[in-house]
Amino acid sequence: MIPSIQEWARTYVESTSLAYKMAPPPPPPAQFDNQVDELRLRPGRPAELSFEEHRLRNLTAAALRDDRKRGFLIHTFWHHELQAAELMCWAILAFPNTPESFRRGLLRIAQDEIRHMSMYAEHLVSLSFRVGSFPVNDWFWTRIPTATTPSAFVSAMNIGFEGGNLDHGLRFAERFEQAGDADAARIQRTIVEEEIPHVAFGMRWLERFMGDATFATWQSNIASPLSPMLMRGKALNRSARQRAGQAEEFVNALEQW
Ligand SMILES: [Fe+2]
Ligand SMILES: [Fe+2]
C-alpha cells in the first residue's frame, strides 16, 4: 500500500538515520489520511550529531578566511535547513485540517530544504569536513512548535525566520565572497533566491487565513517569546522581500521595529 504523505512526513521527522535525513525516498503522490493533529511530534536525532549551545558571533569576512570557521558556519546553516525540512513536515502533521494545497506546499518546501542540505553538505566535504564535524543546537525546534495554529506557523517560520534569512543570507554571501570562498557565496545566493518563494508562500497563506498580510496582522500572529526582532537582519534585503510579496509598508514597519 502506498503510504500517505503524513506517514512520509512523520517518518522523516522521527528518523534517527542521517542518510535518511539527507536523502529520503520521494514522497508518495498527494494523499492525506490522518485528521488528528500531531502537535507534539518531535524530531529523531542521528547519532552523528552532537549538541551544544553556541552562537554565531564575530564571524567577520576576515574570520571567515579560516576554513574551520567557515566550515562551522556552513555546518550551522546545514542544520538550519534540516530543522526547516523537519518543521515543514511537522506542520503537515500538526495542521491536518488545513486545505490540501497548503500541506502540499509545505511538502514542496520541505523538499527544497532537503536539497539545500545537500548543497551545504557537499561544500563541507570540499572543505574537508562533514556533517557531524561541529556541534549543533535545535534552536528552531525549541521555538516553532509554540505556533499552534497554521497562521502562527507561517508567521513564525515562513515570514519570520525564512524572511530573516533573506537578509542574513545576502550578508553572508557577501562575506564568503570577501573571504575568498566563491563557491560558498554562490551556494548562499542560490539558496536566498530559492527561499523567496517560501516567504511568499507564508505571505499568501497568512492572507488566506487572516484576511490580510499586513505588518500588524503578522505581528499579532507571532506567539511570545518570539518577536519580529529575531526575524530580520540588521540591513533588510528589500528587493528579495519585495519579490516575496512584502508590501513597502510591511518592510518599512519591520525596519522601524
Ligand atoms: Fe532552505
Ligand atoms: Fe526555506
Side-chain angles (χ1 to χ4, degrees):
M1 198 185 108
I2 300 174
S4 67
I5 289 177
Q6 276 140 317
E7 269 174 68
W8 186 90
R10 189 180 309 107
T11 306
Y12 188 76
V13 173
E14 290 187 326
S15 173
T16 55
S17 154
L18 182 60
Y20 194 95
K21 296 279 193 192
M22 300 279 288
Q31 187 192 333
F32 295 90
D33 51 11
N34 196 356
Q35 291 302 304
V36 179
D37 75 63
E38 300 181 53
L39 284 160
R40 274 200 274 265
L41 185 76
R42 291 296 178 271
R45 284 288 166 251
E48 289 87 342
L49 297 182
S50 62
F51 290 83
E52 192 180 276
E53 279 307 315
H54 62 257
R55 287 189 35 219
L56 298 174
R57 50 175 102 77
N58 291 330
L59 291 172
T60 59
L64 289 176
R65 286 189 182 278
D66 179 342
D67 280 4
R68 204 170 172 81
K69 292 203 171 125
R70 227 159 56 251
F72 177 85
L73 187 58
I74 287 164
H75 191 272
T76 302
F77 292 162
W78 175 87
H79 188 62
H80 290 171
E81 299 288 350
L82 170 65
Q83 291 175 85
E86 291 169 336
L87 284 159
M88 298 301 167
C89 291
W90 174 86
I92 291 172
L93 296 156
F95 310 119
N97 300 310
T98 49
E100 272 199 29
S101 54
F102 176 66
R103 285 171 288 153
R104 237 177 265 132
L106 293 171
L107 179 65
R108 271 195 306 275
I109 295 177
Q111 291 174 281
D112 284 348
E113 314 302 11
I114 293 167
R115 210 160 33 74
H116 295 166
M117 287 163 68
S118 328
M119 292 161 74
Y120 285 131
E122 277 168 30
H123 193 59
L124 272 178
V125 169
S126 79
L127 297 174
S128 307
F129 299 111
R130 60 185 163 70
V131 170
S133 292
F134 303 93
V136 293
N137 73 65
D138 276 339
W139 201 90
F140 294 100
W141 266 110
T142 60
R143 285 160 180 84
I144 294 289
T146 61
T148 54
T149 63
S151 59
F153 177 81
V154 297
S155 292
M157 188 69 202
N158 301 90
I159 305 174
F161 292 123
E162 296 189 295
N165 204 32
L166 302 180
D167 308 333
H168 300 305
L170 180 63
R171 185 166 50 103
F172 280 114
E174 286 161 0
R175 285 194 199 166
F176 285 140
E177 227 143 55
Q178 291 158 7
D181 190 338
D183 286 338
R186 184 181 39 76
I187 291 167
Q188 197 64 15
R189 283 186 199 284
T190 303
I191 290 177
V192 167
E193 212 41 47
E194 293 189 3
E195 293 296 336
I196 292 174
H198 301 179
V199 182
F201 174 88
M203 295 297 288
R204 270 199 320 277
W205 281 99
L206 181 64
E207 189 175 353
R208 272 282 287 275
F209 294 135
M210 301 304 298
D212 68 61
T214 60
F215 185 82
T217 298
W218 175 56
Q219 199 202 324
S220 67
N221 274 276
I222 296 172
S224 142
L226 295 173
S227 124
M229 208 50 223
L230 296 164
M231 299 170 170
R232 51 164 291 191
K234 241 184 214 162
L236 302 188
N237 184 347
R238 283 186 166 264
S239 81
R241 286 180 172 279
Q242 191 191 355
R243 282 190 290 147
Q246 294 185 344
E248 203 171 337
E249 304 81 69
F250 187 107
V251 181
N252 289 341
L254 179 61
E255 189 155 61
Q256 280 154 30
W257 180 260

